[in-house]
Amino acid sequence: GIQVEQSPPDLILQEGANSTLRCNFSDSVNNLQWFHQNPWGQLINLFYIPSGTKQNGRLSATTVATERYSLLYISSSQTTDSGVYFCAVPPSNDYKLSFGAGTTVTVRA
Amino acid sequence: NAGVTQTPKFQVLKTGQSMTLQCAQDMNHNSMYWYRQDPGMGLRLIYYSASEGTTDKGEVPNGYNVSRLNKREFSLRLESAAPSQTSVYFCASSPQGMGEQYFGPGTRLTVT
């Protein structure tokens, strides 16, 4: 099956800092989703981004499907950004999401 | 519009007991999914239903059964719970295959 690798595994930020999370995948995909799992366990949809760049407030994401990676940018981080960030992809001609292991982000005040 | 709802939120079972996890969505989505999340890991697909009346196995189906009761509801059954099934279970739905998936709040299950 498709392999999804996220880096770094852990990230500690001071409030106000910027950061970049990376997601590499091993095969062609039809779409890609980024999720934030907050400390209460809720999975929140951040981006549905098969290709190109999208922005939502302080977060933005870029997917380069031809090179099999996606980046999630967090700018001016806040303590509420803490949690685990997952990327998930389906293989081509499929729609069952395969998840990466996640990046755990801790933002300190 | 509640999105995806799951019941119960928490459950403790003894080994060998059975139970059914319920999931419902009010977004008129065609496809529904069950995932499990173990500590320090991403989610893994147990079963999915591409459309009403169809179900298929995912990555980790052993020990589980599912029923797509109607377009709104998709249940997951553990016939004889085992400690290895201690996990957090998430239900999700999408408008159609290859569409964006939306997740419920999860059920935290402990099997002793």
Side-chain angles (χ1 to χ4, degrees), chain A residues 1 10 19 23 25-26 31 37 48 50-51 54 56 59 62 72-73 77 81-82 86 88-89 92 95 102 104-105 107:
Chain A
D10 298 282
S19 63
C23 173
F25 41 94
S26 62
N31 68 63
Q37 188 166 40
Y48 174 69
S51 62
K54 290 188 177 179
N56 184 0
L59 302 181
T62 295
L72 178 71
Y73 305 96
S77 58
D81 295 331
S82 295
F86 290 105
V89 298
S92 289
Y95 44 87
T104 300
V105 173
V107 182

Side-chain angles (χ1 to χ4, degrees), chain A residues 31 33 37 45 48 95, chain B residues 37 45 48 50 98 100-101:
Chain A
N31 68 63
Q33 287 189 243
Q37 188 166 40
N45 287 37
Y48 174 69
Y95 44 87
Chain B
Q37 184 180 29
L45 183 68
Y48 66 101
M98 301 188 192
E100 185 173 3
Q101 292 189 22

